[in-house]
Amino acid sequence: MRLHDIARPLSITVPLLPSSLNKWSRAHWTMRARERRAWAAAMEPQLLLAGCRKDRPIWAGPVEVSLVYHRKGARATDADNMSPKHIIDAMKGWV
C-alpha cells in the first residue's frame, strides 16, 4: 500500500465562480473550450500549492469532491444552476 492510498482531505480555494449552467449550455463550443482552458489555468496554481502534481494523481481510485460556493452580494442563485463541470475537469490528472 502506498502512502497516497490512505484517504486524506484536500482543500483548494479558487477565487472564481463558474458560469451558470444556462449561460454555459447556450455558448458556442469555442467559448466553452476557452472557459475550460481558463479554469485549468486558474486551478493549476491552487493544485500545486495543495501538493498535487500534474499526471501524478494523489489517489489511486475514484475521489469524492465537495464544492462550497461563497458569493458576494445578497442576490439569490439557484444552486442547480451552478455547474461545477469546469472545476472538476480542471482537477482531472491532478487529484
Side-chain angles (χ1 to χ4, degrees):
M1 176 187 282
R2 297 179 338 193
L3 175 64
H4 296 307
D5 290 338
I6 300 169
R8 64 181 176 90
L10 177 69
S11 179
I12 299 170
T13 302
V14 182
L16 304 168
L17 284 175
S19 297
S20 73
L21 187 57
N22 291 335
K23 181 180 176 183
W24 182 83
S25 64
R26 291 184 178 112
H28 190 268
W29 70 267
T30 56
M31 294 300 290
R32 291 195 306 260
R34 186 177 303 144
E35 187 170 348
R36 188 171 37 255
R37 286 190 302 270
W39 270 99
M43 292 290 290
E44 184 173 348
Q46 301 302 320
L47 291 163
L48 286 169
L49 284 172
C52 301
R53 297 292 175 259
K54 182 72 173 165
D55 297 324
R56 290 174 47 201
I58 294 175
W59 295 281
V63 298
E64 181 179 319
V65 176
S66 298
L67 301 171
V68 178
Y69 297 110
H70 298 279
R71 292 184 34 115
K72 293 181 181 176
R75 278 188 2 171
T77 302
D78 182 5
D80 294 338
N81 202 20
M82 299 297 289
S83 174
K85 179 167 177 39
H86 297 312
I87 298 170
I88 293 171
D89 285 351
M91 291 191 296
K92 287 182 181 173
W94 289 83
V95 222

